[in-house]
Amino acid sequence: MKTRFYTGIVFCAIFGFLLIQCQDMSNETETLAKPELYQERHRPQFHFSPKEKWMNDPNGMVYYQGEYHLFYQYYPDSSVWGPMHWGHAISRDLVHWEHLPIALYPDSSGYIFSGSAVVDWNNSSGFGTPEEPPLIAIFTYHDVKGEKAGTNTFQDQAIAYSIDNGRTWTKYDGNPVIPNPGIRDFRDPKVIWDPESEQWIMVFAAGNQVKIYGSQNLKKWRHLSDFGEEYGSHAGVWECPDLFPLWLEEEQKHHWVLLLSINPGGPNGGSATQYFVGDFDGRQFVLDERFRTAVEKSKTGAEQAVWLDYGRDNYAGVTWADVPKEDGRRIFIGWMSNWDYAKVVPTETWRSAMTCPRSLTLRPTIAGPRLVQNWVDELKTLERVSSEIPPTKVSNTFDLIDQGPDEAVQSHVELKMKILSEDVSSFGITLFSAAGDSYILGYSIADGHFFSDRRKAGDHSFSDEFASEKHVGPHLLAGDTMNFDILIDRSSIELLADNGSLALTELFFPTSDFNRVTFFSHGGEVEVSGSLKKVASIW
Ligand code: FRU
């Protein structure tokens, strides 16, 4: 009897224990259950982001046989920066992306830092055949051992080639192609074929300058000139240059544009991209006279710069190589983050996304040619439900979008504004979340600038630098009308204003998704009209 009793007790105890364990486990699987891929909180729905882990600069952008290649600085073992690889994705339409295996791994020569890629159409390198031209990737080797040992020669330029449409890559055994002469920051090569001087041209950042090299075969390079010591902002390290021609219809000529990223020292702090407009004669980049006054030191010695984007979150952007002549576009993409806080932003499985691809053109101004940005037309293929806003007079607020509590705003918002009263002090849009967060993007007439205010837009506890103040950008066109062309994608907003002359790209991390957007006008009446389109997810 006794034994039976004890057996009973033991049985109950074991059963009870197992029951508790099972419950525990089910709780555990509940809490550990990962949200579905691409459904994670804050995950952009129509911007490129890696499936998982850390990403920074876009690299090696080249178009070949119907595919836009996008490589990127990638660390597959963590969602914080580490030994750099080149991640890889391709797209046929610049909006849908297919992830491919890692293209370049670090090796005994170092990490694979930023760089570019080109189609070697005439097989000048000899790695392919003229019938099947090779793709050549040009990148920086970053030798951590050398860096730790305190040398200044730990970065140099190297190449790799692919003869299977970029699917697999072989590093050149004659690397480096440009060894480091003793310059600490010596990186981020961008290559273009210059048909005028019939040579490959490479630009890369070297200390406080851009170095320009020329080559016939992508293996042997000759130093041609340097640019930039006396121009633009030098408040931080120069990185990721890009040099390319753009046709200016009104002047019936090509001008050359030099993009140059700088960290820190951006107009609103941290990383940002400045640019220069000039000419290139196959050897030297010379500033357009009209542009020079905008980027040379002022009489007081203050540095001046012209910025590609005034937001905090568009860095290290460059343009695609080999977009077919019939297409003719110069297409740009940037890394939508900032080194001030990129490593600590509150996303879980992945870190960082790219901007929406933008097509770059030049427009004439009295101060000389300036860049204009537009979303690539392919974005339209994602636009779904569309509604028009007829001209509406607003003297307080006006509802634009209301998604209901469970749906995040994922929209293309185009607005035209006419200022009807002299008393208007500011106008713009506010994004609201059900959790009580708000984000404001607008124009202040009193201050004469655009502004982005993410101070109440949700979580910014991860960094003091994320939302300490409003971020502002200049208004470049005169008149009493204005236009906003805005993309909102869960945790980012990109504004193109003044017909694409002003860009402002910013991140935010609302406590619950922004699901409502209103237009506001303070102080007086503004007439607003435009269109609202939902943008479909690409995943
Ligand atoms: C720019 C940059 C580049 C460098 C890369 C390293 O964001 O610092 O200069 O090549 O990132 O990941």
Side-chain angles (χ1 to χ4, degrees):
M1 217 27 211
K2 235 182 184 176
T3 15
R4 261 221 205 140
F5 176 68
Y6 281 122
T7 321
I9 286 185
V10 170
F11 178 75
C12 281
I14 291 175
F15 184 70
F17 175 72
L18 284 178
L19 201 72
I20 290 166
Q21 284 298 303
C22 277
Q23 273 172 355
D24 271 349
M25 266 165 58
S26 70
N27 280 341
E28 200 162 270
T29 41
E30 229 168 63
T31 47
L32 287 185
K34 277 195 187 157
E36 226 178 293
L37 194 62
Y38 304 118
Q39 294 304 318
E40 306 96 332
R41 272 173 60 64
H42 307 309
R43 175 76 93 162
Q45 295 298 297
F46 61 92
H47 287 80
F48 176 80
S49 60
K51 210 182 228 169
E52 53 170 16
K53 310 299 181 191
W54 171 269
M55 173 180 84
N56 57 291
D57 313 358
N59 293 154
M61 290 130 70
V62 63
Y63 178 88
Y64 186 55
Q65 297 201 337
E67 295 174 337
Y68 290 93
H69 291 264
L70 170 62
F71 301 87
Y72 50 89
Q73 289 287 279
Y74 188 50
Y75 184 35
D77 295 332
S78 165
S79 45
V80 176
W81 191 90
M84 283 290 109
H85 300 53
W86 273 26
H88 189 192
I90 50 165
S91 173
R92 295 194 154 267
D93 62 3
L94 287 167
V95 289
H96 295 93
W97 294 95
E98 181 189 337
H99 293 290
L100 292 184
I102 289 173
L104 292 169
Y105 284 79
D107 58 44
S108 59
S109 297
Y111 298 174
I112 314 296
F113 268 21
S114 286
S116 52
V118 289
V119 183
D120 182 10
W121 290 106
N122 295 324
N123 192 34
S124 67
S125 62
F127 292 130
T129 62
E131 296 72 41
E132 291 193 53
L135 296 184
I136 311 289
I138 309 98
F139 59 90
T140 298
Y141 262 130
H142 175 93
D143 172 24
V144 189
K145 287 190 276 15
E147 184 186 20
K148 285 196 177 133
T151 72
N152 274 336
T153 53
F154 53 87
Q155 293 181 337
D156 37 37
Q157 318 321 331
I159 61 175
Y161 62 91
S162 169
I163 47 172
D164 58 1
N165 291 3
R167 294 324 191 257
T168 61
W169 292 83
T170 308
K171 289 168 188 148
Y172 173 45
D173 58 15
N175 279 336
V177 290
I178 304 184
N180 191 313
I183 301 174
R184 229 190 120 71
D185 295 298
F186 194 75
R187 59 174 177 270
D188 308 337
K190 180 79 167 64
V191 172
I192 189 173
W193 173 257
D194 176 25
E196 295 274 309
S197 64
E198 297 188 323
Q199 62 183 328
W200 297 103
I201 296 294
M202 182 198 293
V203 286
F204 61 90
N208 58 358
Q209 297 182 323
V210 167
K211 289 214 169 278
I212 306 181
Y213 276 65
S215 172
Q216 287 305 324
N217 59 12
L218 294 155
K219 297 175 186 161
K220 271 208 168 114
W221 291 90
R222 193 164 62 93
H223 180 221
L224 299 174
S225 62
D226 298 329
F227 170 81
E229 207 170 351
E230 313 101 73
Y231 303 114
S233 171
H234 288 270
V237 180
W238 277 30
E239 300 183 319
C240 301
D242 188 3
L243 178 68
F244 51 85
L246 279 183
W247 179 251
L248 183 58
E249 194 60 35
E250 290 80 355
E251 292 179 12
Q252 285 293 300
K253 77 182 281 258
H254 277 109
H255 289 273
W256 285 72
V257 176
L258 179 66
L259 305 183
L260 198 272
S261 282
I262 174 170
N263 175 52
N268 286 293
S271 332
T273 302
Q274 53 186 328
Y275 72 90
F276 304 92
V277 179
D279 276 315
F280 179 67
D281 62 1
R283 195 181 70 79
Q284 243 185 329
F285 175 75
V286 180
L287 281 174
D288 184 288
E289 268 312 315
R290 295 162 292 179
F291 203 87
R292 181 190 300 272
T293 50
V295 292
E296 68 189 352
K297 278 202 178 119
S298 70
K299 289 201 178 81
T300 61
E303 290 184 325
Q304 304 190 89
V306 176
W307 301 98
L308 177 92
D309 195 307
Y310 282 82
R312 293 269 273 152
D313 299 299
N314 180 358
Y315 191 60
V318 289
T319 62
W320 257 277
D322 294 292
V323 172
K325 273 212 185 74
E326 317 82 76
D327 178 320
R329 285 178 300 174
R330 184 50 60 178
I331 306 165
F332 167 97
I333 207 169
W335 173 46
M336 205 154 50
S337 198
N338 190 309
W339 282 116
D340 272 355
Y341 43 72
K343 296 175 186 171
V344 292
V345 294
T347 63
E348 291 149 32
T349 39
W350 86 102
R351 270 220 178 85
S352 301
M354 297 300 179
T355 63
C356 178
R358 305 171 184 188
S359 145
L360 304 183
T361 50
L362 286 177
R363 88 181 157 94
T365 74
I366 38 167
R370 290 288 188 278
L371 277 183
V372 165
Q373 304 175 52
N374 281 291
W375 316 125
V376 293
D377 281 343
E378 288 87 336
L379 181 70
K380 292 199 178 89
T381 64
L382 296 176
E383 294 175 350
R384 296 290 182 266
V385 195
S386 162
S387 58
E388 297 299 311
I389 310 162
T392 308
K393 289 178 182 163
V394 181
S395 54
N396 191 356
T397 62
F398 171 66
D399 289 341
L400 294 176
I401 301 175
D402 191 347
Q403 297 282 182
D406 301 324
E407 208 184 320
V409 176
Q410 203 175 295
S411 298
H412 183 184
V413 176
E414 288 173 279
L415 301 176
K416 275 209 180 99
M417 280 83 50
K418 201 167 171 194
I419 301 154
L420 299 178
S421 130
E422 279 185 0
D423 301 327
V424 179
S425 57
S426 65
F427 56 87
I429 60 166
T430 311
L431 277 55
F432 295 99
S433 78
D437 310 306
S438 58
Y439 166 80
I440 313 167
L441 179 69
Y443 179 69
S444 162
I445 295 183
D447 300 323
H449 58 214
F450 296 95
F451 65 92
S452 160
D453 189 349
R454 60 184 179 188
R455 289 176 295 180
K456 292 186 179 145
D459 188 6
H460 53 84
S461 61
F462 51 89
S463 164
D464 291 344
E465 314 208 47
F466 186 74
S468 55
E469 55 191 6
K470 282 186 195 174
H471 305 140
V472 301
H475 175 36
L476 302 166
L477 301 184
D480 61 355
T481 59
M482 198 174 274
N483 69 294
F484 287 174
D485 189 348
I486 299 170
L487 298 179
I488 305 168
D489 188 5
R490 287 182 168 218
S491 51
S492 69
I493 193 158
E494 292 172 88
L495 165 70
L496 296 181
D498 289 348
N499 302 325
S501 310
L502 180 285
L504 198 152
T505 304
E506 299 247 300
L507 297 177
F508 35 64
F509 301 98
T511 322
S512 69
D513 286 330
F514 285 127
N515 61 347
R516 221 155 54 76
V517 183
T518 63
F519 182 82
F520 69 87
S521 168
H522 291 155
E525 217 170 41
V526 168
E527 183 184 271
V528 64
S529 61
S531 71
L532 306 165
K533 290 164 202 130
K534 274 197 183 180
V535 183
S537 174
I538 57 171
W539 304 116

